[in-house]
Amino acid sequence: MITLIIFLQLMPHIKSAKPFAQNMFGFHLVLAGDIGMMGNFRANVSKRVDFGINGVLYSTPFFGIQGDLNFLIHQKEPDIPFNASIYPLLNLGFGENLFYFSFTGNFAIDFPVEIKEEDVNLKIIPYFLIGIGAEAVNYEVGTKSYTDSSFEAHGSFGTFFIITRKMAIPVEIHFSDEERGPTGFSFSAGILFTL
């Protein structure tokens, strides 16, 4: 099942719009310095832990895979109306004469809001995340091979629209200070389905 869902590929520094509902899969259109498609799959391990696997294909071409474990450290309550979580994220990517690896730690906050009207039952989850980590890039220029390693910081602002119990639409703007790869800025939007 996971192999089927990861039919796309990953641009390592793109952090997909994070589904805050569990057991979902789907895809995103990613607009950056290049255009790509992202596959997305999430499933829960326990009440406070879930994992995600993503894949993105850019037309440069660029291919890779991303995995993360999400740990919920605070659940929304009346006095503190947001969820907070931390999650480590591992990226592997391959491009033309390029290999990319990064490991980052991320902190995310989301603010679930429910809109209940007569014919409308919509849940909106705006969120933001920040992260820091280490990255390494091996690339070839002519017959020579070079390796760069550095620290990188990134952040995302997004909204997760839960339209029905079976479908959601994620939208996200992501930025990064990474020096290599197609871009340090991207916009993604997609559709996700509940398993």
Side-chain angles (χ1 to χ4, degrees):
M1 174 69 118
I2 290 176
T3 304
L4 175 65
I5 291 167
I6 306 173
F7 60 98
L8 302 172
Q9 304 170 27
L10 166 79
M11 173 62 206
H13 67 256
I14 300 297
K15 308 302 185 270
S16 64
K18 184 183 185 314
F20 292 94
Q22 305 302 321
N23 299 318
M24 302 195 84
F25 73 97
F27 65 91
H28 307 258
L29 173 65
V30 181
L31 301 174
D34 202 354
I35 296 174
M37 291 292 291
M38 176 183 291
N40 183 293
F41 172 78
R42 290 202 80 81
N44 51 330
V45 176
S46 70
K47 188 175 179 182
R48 290 191 166 264
V49 180
D50 61 88
F51 73 93
I53 298 173
N54 301 315
V56 166
L57 171 64
Y58 268 79
S59 59
T60 16
F62 198 96
F63 159 83
I65 190 140
Q66 174 186 81
D68 71 80
L69 272 174
N70 186 79
F71 300 93
L72 181 66
I73 57 174
H74 171 74
Q75 193 162 15
K76 178 182 174 181
E77 57 187 53
D79 294 337
I80 307 174
F82 60 82
N83 297 316
S85 58
I86 57 172
Y87 60 100
L89 183 70
L90 177 67
N91 294 304
L92 295 174
F94 307 89
E96 191 173 348
N97 303 318
L98 175 75
F99 172 74
Y100 179 97
F101 169 83
S102 75
F103 181 79
T104 61
N106 299 279
F107 176 73
I109 291 180
D110 64 275
F111 305 86
V113 176
E114 289 193 47
I115 299 172
K116 291 191 176 185
E117 297 288 329
E118 193 170 303
D119 291 328
V120 178
N121 189 7
L122 177 66
K123 188 173 185 180
I124 300 172
I125 307 174
Y127 66 92
F128 72 89
L129 70 85
I130 55 171
I132 57 169
E135 64 177 351
V137 180
N138 181 277
Y139 59 99
E140 295 176 10
V141 177
T143 58
K144 295 192 176 189
S145 180
Y146 301 92
T147 300
D148 287 343
S149 59
S150 62
F151 289 100
E152 65 104 357
H154 59 257
S156 298
F157 297 95
T159 303
F160 198 71
F161 299 94
I162 300 176
I163 305 219
T164 69
R165 291 177 55 190
K166 294 288 184 182
M167 185 176 70
I169 295 175
V171 176
E172 182 178 279
I173 294 173
H174 175 78
F175 53 90
S176 170
D177 70 347
E178 294 179 27
E179 296 178 7
R180 298 219 170 258
T183 185
F185 176 83
S186 69
F187 170 80
S188 70
I191 187 164
L192 297 168
F193 301 95
T194 303
L195 293 175

